[in-house]
Amino acid sequence: MNVLIIGSGGREHALAHNISASQACSHLFAAPGNPGISQFATCLKLSIDDHDTIIRKCREHDIKLVVIGPEMPLVAGLADVLRKNNILAFGPSASAAKLEGSKFFARDFCRRYQIPQPKFARFTNSQKAKEFVENIGPECVVKADGLAAGKGVVVCRTKRQACEAIDMMLAGGFGDASKTIIVEECISGPELSAFALIDSEVVTWLASARDHKRAFDGDTGPNTGGMGAVSPSPEESIILRDKIMNTILTPLAKGMVLDGTPYTGILYAGLMLTNTGPQVIEFNCRFGDPEAQVILPRLESDLLDLILLHCSHKQESALVNFSDDIAITVVMANKGYPGNYKKDSIITNIDNIPLNAESFIYHSGTGTNQRGQIIAKGGRVFSVTAVAKSYEEARFKAYETILKIQWDNGFYRTDIASY
Ligand code: AMP
Ligand code: GLY
């Protein structure tokens, strides 16, 4: 079967790595892909917002399945358009992807189905939002309702910070995404990301991960899309897994069916493990980036077989095995990220490092210049994954690889998975 992966990040590189290894994959395409992905797939130059061209390319290349990596095309309804055109799509419908596309939708959904979460309210008026802050206390979280590339959340410690965040967002700080905001109670505890495969009421637990969102060591600096990740999360246990399944994932799947918007695809639940149990911080309708770069290397089962069983509503019969190994990934980003950064600096040696199943470099924001050299184009540029029997060994291996790469304009955190 010919398969197309939509996206251009490290997550899509990890998807391409696994899918291309499947016997069922005849030819792999990616749109738009990146230089790393091009080693496994034919990269098609097209805009992922252009649904008509995607359908046309699927027909042209006899593509029968499209795996959608990022949230934007899912929220924009690409999976619906593909299904209408009789092409298999891996990912939720636009109606189900609203769990990520609108924070208010997700909060209201959890409220209706008694899924544990912090107190919250939605506002378009700053005065009312500030009165709510008085109500729940100065420690609160202000969030843009819509998609803001992982940046639309401000955790506030004082009333002043909260008022500034409210004013900034309602004044259009994140464009249309922050015309409506959510103000939430600030909860605390270790964070854990839970990944499940859902087909209507069938929920299959996949794996847990922990993301390192702050830019700098010691969890300091601004929030980023993720500077590193580890899987499984150090907090994962069978008891916790059952609790997350029973109190969050199963009620979610049932509620989406009852609402007439059944969920299909990967669900990534960002959770906080509070004194009273796991509570929902956010839902994402896809694999995480860089979480995919630690979850997929641990998957021993064939990813494409699993996706195909899921798409034909036979997910229950799938065998899903993950290794007990620890995977860690360290992101190398452009100096200045998540703010402004210089583009097109040259990265040397990245292509000459021997790689294998336990050690891999996933490209995200790379490109090539006219001389064929790898250059840095995006904020997060690549991530280095290592798989080993312990956190220490995986850390050692990942940082050993990083030291071999020469890139003057890059930076990375040195404390990923130092538990
Ligand atoms: P989000 O983009 O919603 O995942 O939020 C980014 C980060 O903000 C999360 O990983 C948490 O660390 C923090 N956060 C979000 N919501 C809350 C909350 N209600 N209480 C405490 N921290 C939060
Ligand atoms: N690493 C966070 C995300 O993918 O949303």
Side-chain angles (χ1 to χ4, degrees), residues 190-195 205 207-212 229-238 240 244 271 273 291 294-295 298 325-327 391 417 419:
E191 287 184 46
L192 176 142
S193 304
F195 291 83
W205 173 274
S208 68
R210 189 193 274 182
D211 188 8
H212 294 253
V230 54
S231 177
S233 152
E235 271 81 23
E236 185 180 333
S237 67
I238 291 171
L240 180 62
I244 294 170
L271 309 175
L273 308 177
E291 290 87 338
V294 286
I295 290 174
R298 292 183 51 231
D325 290 345
I326 307 287
Y391 289 108
Y419 305 125

Side-chain angles (χ1 to χ4, degrees), residues 193-273:
S193 304
F195 291 83
L197 181 62
I198 301 183
D199 177 30
S200 297
E201 291 205 22
V202 183
V203 183
T204 307
W205 173 274
L206 294 181
S208 68
R210 189 193 274 182
D211 188 8
H212 294 253
K213 283 203 169 83
R214 298 296 189 114
F216 309 127
D217 282 8
D219 282 334
T220 56
N223 256 324
T224 70
M227 292 298 293
V230 54
S231 177
S233 152
E235 271 81 23
E236 185 180 333
S237 67
I238 291 171
I239 293 172
L240 180 62
R241 200 159 133 169
D242 286 348
K243 183 133 200 176
I244 294 170
M245 283 291 270
N246 295 335
T247 62
I248 295 168
L249 300 174
T250 305
L252 176 144
K254 287 191 170 147
M256 291 299 275
V257 170
L258 285 173
D259 284 357
T261 52
Y263 195 92
T264 56
I266 297 294
L267 183 90
Y268 156 5
L271 309 175
M272 202 164 256
L273 308 177

Side-chain angles (χ1 to χ4, degrees), residues 103 107 118-119 140-143 150-155 157 184-189 191 211 213-214 223-224 268 270-272 280-284:
K103 295 208 188 271
R107 288 293 183 221
K119 290 194 196 91
C140 66
V141 185
V142 180
K143 300 184 173 182
K151 293 176 193 156
V153 173
V154 184
V155 179
R157 300 283 166 222
E184 294 180 0
E185 167 199 10
C186 191
I187 54 175
S188 58
E191 287 184 46
D211 188 8
K213 283 203 169 83
R214 298 296 189 114
N223 256 324
T224 70
Y268 156 5
L271 309 175
M272 202 164 256
V280 174
I281 293 282
E282 61 161 0
F283 291 124
N284 298 300

Side-chain angles (χ1 to χ4, degrees), residues 53-71:
T53 304
I54 293 174
I55 300 291
R56 192 162 49 73
K57 289 284 174 192
C58 287
R59 300 251 151 83
E60 205 177 296
H61 296 291
D62 195 26
I63 290 162
K64 297 277 193 278
L65 167 72
V66 180
V67 176
I68 305 170
E71 62 278 17

